[in-house]
Amino acid sequence: AQKVTQAQTEISVVEKEDVTLDCVYETRDTTYYLFWYKQPPSGELVFLIRRNSFDEQNEISGRYSWNFQKSTSSFNFTITASQVVDSAVYFCALSEEISNFGNEKLTFGTGTRLTIIP
Amino acid sequence: KAGVTQTPRYLIKTRGQQVTLSCSPISGHRSVSWYQQTPGQGLQFLFEYFSETQRNKGNFPGRFSGRQFSNSRSEMNVSTLELGDSALYLCASSSGGRSGNTIYFGEGSWLTVV
């Protein structure tokens, strides 16, 4: 069965510090997809990134970067020079490729609440 | 391009009643999924519809049901509401078809059962 673990329940950092959110996943599939979402207090899950299991290249988008390591089954998320607007709950999620028919079921981690202190 | 739209945003129901939540996916998307979010259980998958067919179902009792219309809009229904059904219900849409599509979420419907 698939599983996503976000061991950090809450993190607080001072503005402008860098912070890394950890995500460890379990799956028996060789083809799978990893996601990160941001959830502000309004409730909406804001899509940040999708990565497939065959693409281990790290990705950078502005102040955000992601480190995907299949050897350790991890997909960590780093925010550089954090800002108050980054305060939110962040979720890591996994979906598996069941068949060519498709599968959009996401298994989520429990989330990490990030607080940026001004 | 409009995002995923959910209605109503907030609602309060009495135990034993039923509720219907609505979701309009992003234009062109054919897959709609529903999730329940509670403080105790986190984000849990309810079901997914693609081209009006339920393609996948989570581990929820039969009181939770859904459907998808020909225009890809979806509704979910919860009958005989229980206090534990109080949650944020999130709808997500994607283009569907093969796996691995980007999945976008709406703002959710906050349901309180009293």
Side-chain angles (χ1 to χ4, degrees), chain A residues 5-59:
Chain A
T5 301
Q6 294 180 257
Q8 304 152 308
T9 305
E10 295 191 32
I11 300 176
S12 294
V13 300
V14 176
E15 195 173 19
K16 297 183 182 177
E17 286 186 351
D18 299 347
V19 58
T20 295
L21 309 183
D22 297 333
C23 173
V24 175
Y25 62 92
E26 295 177 29
T27 176
R28 287 177 292 188
D29 270 15
T30 55
T31 303
Y32 52 89
Y33 305 89
L34 295 163
F35 300 76
W36 274 96
Y37 288 89
K38 173 183 180 180
Q39 187 176 46
S42 62
E44 178 183 6
L45 283 172
V46 178
F47 168 78
L48 295 178
I49 190 171
R50 172 180 62 95
R51 178 53 52 96
N52 74 56
S53 54
F54 296 108
D55 183 2
E56 287 193 71
Q57 279 194 346
N58 292 330
E59 181 157 340

Side-chain angles (χ1 to χ4, degrees), chain A residues 94-109:
Chain A
L94 166 72
S95 73
E96 295 175 331
E97 177 125 342
I98 292 180
S99 70
N100 284 334
F101 186 54
N103 170 44
E104 306 291 47
K105 175 185 176 182
L106 290 171
T107 297
F108 284 89

